[in-house]
Amino acid sequence: GEKVEQHESTLSVREGDSAVINCTYTDTASSYFPWYKQEAGKSLHFVIDIRSNVDRKQSQRLTVLLDKKAKRFSLHITATQPEDSAIYFCAASRGSFNKLTFGAGTRLAVCP
Amino acid sequence: EAAVTQSPRNKVTVTGGNVTLSCRQTNSHNYMYWYRQDTGHGLRLIHYSYGAGNLQIGDVPDGYKATRTTQEDFFLLLELASPSQTSLYFCASSDSSGNTLYFGEGSRLIVV
């Protein structure tokens, strides 16, 4: 089955700098790649996703890049703010009606 | 915004005990999921369901049963709890596309 690996278990950046979280996947048939955010002591919520028909998607300060050849995707956060501090999970699936496989999570700390 | 409610939020039980975790969603979603979250493993799918009476096996089903009694209600059952099942459990729901997941607040289970 699919395996999703998050390369950074922890990441610390200074407020205002950019942060990049990288993930790789194994299933060449995967076509849907969402990201979820979990703030301390809270549940997860969806932040952004990308599908395999594009290689870049941006939403405000968040950008997701997808490299299908390398089976790699990444989340870029620009102008980081303290409220960006959280655990970020990447995930992958074969698309609609297929279950998501999550990575282990990256704990991002934005320091003033 | 999807509403997913879990109960109990915290539970301590003894090894060999019976535990039922409950989940209710009020957004008419067809899909419901049970995940466990453990440090270093991220979220792992235990069981999921496409609708009332339907049950699908996830990636880590051993030691767990589940039942979907209505479109709204999805239960996770641990009939002989073991310390290895100490974890944070999340229920989630999604619409028929199975894409964006809406998570509950989590149920922390400790098996002593």
Side-chain angles (χ1 to χ4, degrees), chain A residues 11-102:
Chain A
L11 183 61
S12 182
V13 300
R14 192 172 297 178
E15 183 178 353
D17 287 350
S18 294
V20 181
I21 303 171
N22 296 286
C23 290
T24 53
Y25 60 98
T26 58
D27 186 355
T28 54
S30 286
S31 61
Y32 176 64
F33 307 91
W35 289 84
Y36 286 80
K37 177 182 180 182
Q38 184 180 32
E39 295 169 45
K42 297 190 176 180
S43 188
L44 291 84
H45 67 268
F46 170 85
V47 289
I48 191 170
D49 61 10
I50 190 168
R51 298 181 190 276
S52 57
N53 59 337
V54 297
D55 55 17
R56 177 189 177 98
K57 182 175 180 179
Q58 182 174 356
S59 175
Q60 298 181 318
R61 296 186 295 109
L62 304 180
T63 300
V64 182
L65 301 179
L66 174 63
D67 181 344
K68 292 189 289 292
K69 189 173 290 187
K71 289 188 281 188
R72 179 173 59 216
F73 59 113
S74 56
L75 175 67
H76 298 245
I77 308 173
T78 58
T80 53
Q81 302 167 1
E83 50 265 39
D84 294 328
S85 296
I87 301 175
Y88 290 82
F89 293 93
C90 62
S93 81
R94 291 186 170 189
S96 296
F97 314 115
N98 285 278
K99 59 187 175 76
L100 280 172
T101 299
F102 283 83

